[in-house]
Amino acid sequence: MCEVLIVGGGVMGLWAAVMAARAGFTTRLLERGAIGSGASGGLLGALMPHMPDRWNEKKQFQFDALMSLEGEIAGLEAATGLSAGYRRSGRIMPLGKPHLREIALGREQDAARHWCTPSRRFHWHVREADAGGWPPAEAAPFGVVHDTLAARVAPRSLLAMLRAALDQFPHVRCEEGAAVISLEPARGRLSLADGRALTFDHLVLAAGVESFFFIDGLTQPRRAPSGGAVKGQAALLRADIDPALPIIFSDGLYIVPHENGQVAVGSTSENRFDQPYSTDDQLDALLARATTFAPALLGAPVIERWAGLRPRATGREPMVGRHPDHERLFVLTGGFKVGFGLAHALARSVIDEIAGRPSGELPETFRCAHHIAALR
């Protein structure tokens, strides 16, 4: 039986392992730390669609992925008995300037055309904010957009569910504390920090930011790095908020109601930083902004402050599929802010390619070969 080795135990790697196991491959997942210890183990879990205007294949791919994710999660919840904290709660975007309202009104018809399936239709409504509402009228002087497509998931709950699903496959093995230090895809071999050497038929590199280090070492010549890290900070609060309320999104600020009286607030996007895993006054400023749009959070105790590094490919799109120079090496990284909504679909595309049934649905700009050509 063909063996697939997956490097990385975040949301991308776990979905790749699930898809490989379903395809019947002997599957081994290696995670240098603990499952979900990277950017995937954060707090937000917002599943946000692209704007419905200027429709293209990338937006269609994301829409289809957000549609299929709901069923994927429902099936895994039934199989494992665990909850991923998923809810299609929608999204509210306050409109602070008159021209933003005009733009939003123009997008209503775009959503009516593009945000639909044969059985479901999602909406983009422009309406007035309610006094004392979510958010209050004074925080949205020109109204709000309310879309019914956005959803959320509890990141750590989703990871735990995926990990439990893998335990149900006898041909899957997961190893934590297995740090990869070198790759030799031409020989089908890699080396671990503990001195072991492992062989593979196919390798899926889904190690987040660390993936770019390996890609750069294997890609010559090139004129630029394949990607880098963007730091994000977020916090989890305890508040008496209805978990069915929509996500509030305004100029980089996310307020995400979760179950059990928890609300996530985030996140910064920092390209320059000295302390990648510590929080600072930038998170304090974000929390202060959040109370403007959600006064119910005033005085809410902070349960956890979190910081982590998210992988962003140089071309900004996810980097997916076979490396053009190494037929055994497949890449699955660069999700940045859209990873949780796309991970299952991107992982399926990679495993389909390994199995010899490549999907034509993957946008060309997502393909690893496209990224590598741009780097050169």
Side-chain angles (χ1 to χ4, degrees):
M1 183 183 294
C2 181
E3 182 176 25
V4 174
L5 197 59
I6 297 166
V7 178
V11 66
M12 294 282 194
L14 289 170
W15 273 116
V18 168
M19 297 300 176
R22 288 177 179 172
F25 294 127
T26 298
T27 304
R28 190 171 188 173
L29 184 145
L30 305 175
E31 164 55 42
R32 67 177 299 117
I35 295 294
S37 57
S40 295
L43 305 173
L44 287 187
L47 305 172
M48 308 280 277
H50 290 301
M51 295 296 105
D53 59 340
R54 292 180 289 182
W55 204 248
N56 56 32
E57 64 171 350
K58 178 178 73 174
K59 293 187 176 186
Q60 185 65 51
F61 183 87
Q62 189 208 37
F63 177 83
D64 293 339
L66 292 174
M67 291 298 96
S68 62
L69 180 60
E70 185 172 351
E72 287 279 5
I73 287 177
L76 290 172
E77 285 181 334
T80 63
L82 300 177
S83 170
Y86 178 90
R87 187 189 289 259
R88 192 175 295 283
S89 49
R91 167 179 56 174
I92 294 284
M93 289 176 281
L95 301 171
K97 297 180 180 179
H99 77 279
L100 295 178
R101 184 181 179 93
E102 294 304 312
I103 293 171
L105 286 168
R107 288 172 172 161
E108 282 187 320
Q109 294 305 312
D110 295 314
R113 283 194 298 273
H114 302 303
W115 285 4
C116 56
T117 70
S119 60
R120 301 180 72 175
R121 181 177 296 277
F122 299 92
H123 302 285
W124 170 288
H125 298 300
V126 179
R127 60 172 176 79
E128 302 308 313
D130 300 323
W134 179 266
E138 56 269 26
F142 298 96
V144 299
V145 172
H146 182 194
D147 90 59
T148 59
L149 174 55
R152 52 86 167 159
V153 70
R156 295 168 187 174
S157 297
L158 174 63
L159 298 180
M161 183 191 70
L162 290 169
R163 178 66 181 84
L166 292 174
D167 287 337
Q168 299 181 349
F169 293 97
H171 52 289
V172 174
R173 179 179 177 184
C174 296
E175 291 187 49
E176 296 177 291
V180 177
I181 58 172
S182 68
L183 297 179
E184 299 176 76
R187 299 175 60 189
R189 186 177 184 274
L190 62 76
S191 299
L192 299 175
D194 61 10
R196 286 182 295 159
L198 302 179
T199 60
F200 55 84
D201 296 313
H202 303 285
L203 184 138
V204 178
L205 185 57
V209 171
E210 187 183 9
S211 301
F212 302 128
F213 167 80
F214 292 113
I215 294 167
D216 289 345
L218 294 168
T219 304
Q220 302 298 332
R222 58 179 174 79
R223 295 175 178 267
S226 56
V230 178
K231 179 180 177 180
Q233 300 184 49
L236 192 65
L237 285 67
R238 176 76 64 189
D240 185 18
I241 300 293
D242 183 355
L245 282 172
I247 298 163
I248 292 178
F249 173 73
S250 177
D251 192 22
L253 169 69
Y254 297 79
I255 304 172
V256 187
H258 286 285
E259 309 298 326
N260 304 318
Q262 297 183 347
V263 180
V265 174
S267 65
T268 64
S269 288
E270 305 165 47
N271 294 310
R272 296 182 179 180
F273 46 85
D274 295 322
Q275 302 293 330
Y277 302 110
S278 64
T279 61
D280 55 33
D281 56 358
Q282 294 184 72
L283 180 56
D284 297 331
L286 208 61
L287 290 169
R289 276 189 66 205
T291 61
T292 300
F293 298 102
L297 298 181
L298 277 167
V302 176
I303 303 170
E304 180 181 350
R305 295 166 66 95
W306 179 90
L309 299 180
R310 296 167 295 183
R312 182 171 67 186
T314 296
R316 298 187 67 87
E317 309 287 12
M319 183 182 285
V320 182
R322 190 190 304 270
H323 192 291
D325 301 338
H326 305 282
E327 64 178 15
R328 296 174 187 247
L329 176 63
F330 295 78
V331 176
L332 182 60
T333 192
F336 190 35
K337 293 184 177 181
V338 298
F340 270 85
L342 297 183
H344 67 296
L346 298 177
R348 181 184 298 112
S349 175
V350 168
I351 300 305
D352 281 351
E353 190 174 5
I354 291 173
R357 49 174 189 268
S359 169
E361 298 175 354
L362 188 72
E364 184 62 28
T365 57
F366 287 13
R367 296 187 183 277
C368 181
H370 178 90
H371 284 265
I372 299 302
L375 296 178
R376 290 170 170 164

